[in-house]
Amino acid sequence: MAGFSGHWAFAFGLLGNIISFMVFLAPIPTFYQIYKKKSSEGFQAIPYVVALFSAVLWIYYALLKSNAMLIITINSVGCVIETIYILFFIFYATTKLRVQTVKLLVLLIVCGMGFIGVTHFLVKASQRATIVGWICLIFSLCVFIAPLCVVRQVIRTKSVEHMPFLLSLFLTLSAVMWFFYGLLLKDLNIAIPNVLGFSFGVVQMVLYVMYKNAKNTPDQQKLPETQKQTSILEEQKIPEVTEKILEIVKLGALLSSDKKPAKVLSNDKGVQVPNLPKECEV
């Protein structure tokens, strides 16, 4: 029976590796949009920074466990991909957003190195895997909670522009695979956070279905009407401005001539144009 569950655990772990790899690649369309806009404004770097830190912790946890090669492989790949994403995000971010992202990254690096150092030198070897496992569980929850800022933005703007559907889909599938992997290995540190991950993934997909065809916001709907009204007002102002210019030209012509008043002629469009005396001609 143990061998049977072990085979199933390996199968779910292998599927988890494949789907998790797709999760890491899912934000590529998002970063392609950033590349086209030459700006990362509107997007958040928090999910990628937290995912990077979580991957580092899971590698450390797997090194403390036996037969955890599947966790090491996928999280090593994740560290490389998430680092590329963060560097790309920082390159196209505004100064304020760049500073915030770097501060968060430095904070997590310092905290992570400090945590690894404390557990390695101050915690007994028999308890080390348990403590690191609980910390990994907490940060895995943070990985799934991090996109909630994007969910709030989707609900507020009724637009899914900044919430990629592929990422939500693959996160949900990945959570299912890793849940059964942890359950078959009787490792609750792996199984528990993926329950929440599955729930959040479903919520994100439901929101995507709700708002993918949503109409523009009220402000966006009012924009064409405002532009039309502005155009009408400008058209109404043109005759008034023309009349004022003509009055000024007439007055200047009268002041420039000693005796002869300026004759007023009509052009082919019916607009009166003063016939300036020779003294006023340039």
Side-chain angles (χ1 to χ4, degrees), residues 118-178:
V118 168
T119 55
H120 185 75
F121 293 106
L122 300 181
V123 178
K124 295 180 180 179
S126 58
Q127 300 177 345
R128 195 174 298 155
T130 303
I131 294 175
V132 174
W134 279 101
I135 300 298
C136 288
L137 186 152
I138 293 172
F139 270 91
S140 293
L141 294 177
C142 292
V143 169
F144 294 118
I145 292 174
L148 288 182
C149 57
V150 180
V151 170
R152 183 182 63 178
Q153 184 178 2
V154 169
I155 296 173
R156 181 173 55 86
T157 62
K158 293 181 173 55
S159 171
V160 295
E161 179 183 0
H162 302 298
M163 187 181 72
F165 176 77
L166 287 178
L167 180 59
S168 303
L169 175 63
F170 287 127
L171 274 174
T172 306
L173 295 176
S174 176
V176 173
M177 297 302 140
W178 288 112

Side-chain angles (χ1 to χ4, degrees), residues 54-70:
S54 177
V56 172
L57 287 180
W58 277 114
I59 292 174
Y60 181 49
Y61 175 73
L63 292 174
L64 298 175
K65 300 279 289 185
S66 58
N67 299 325
M69 184 57 63
L70 291 175

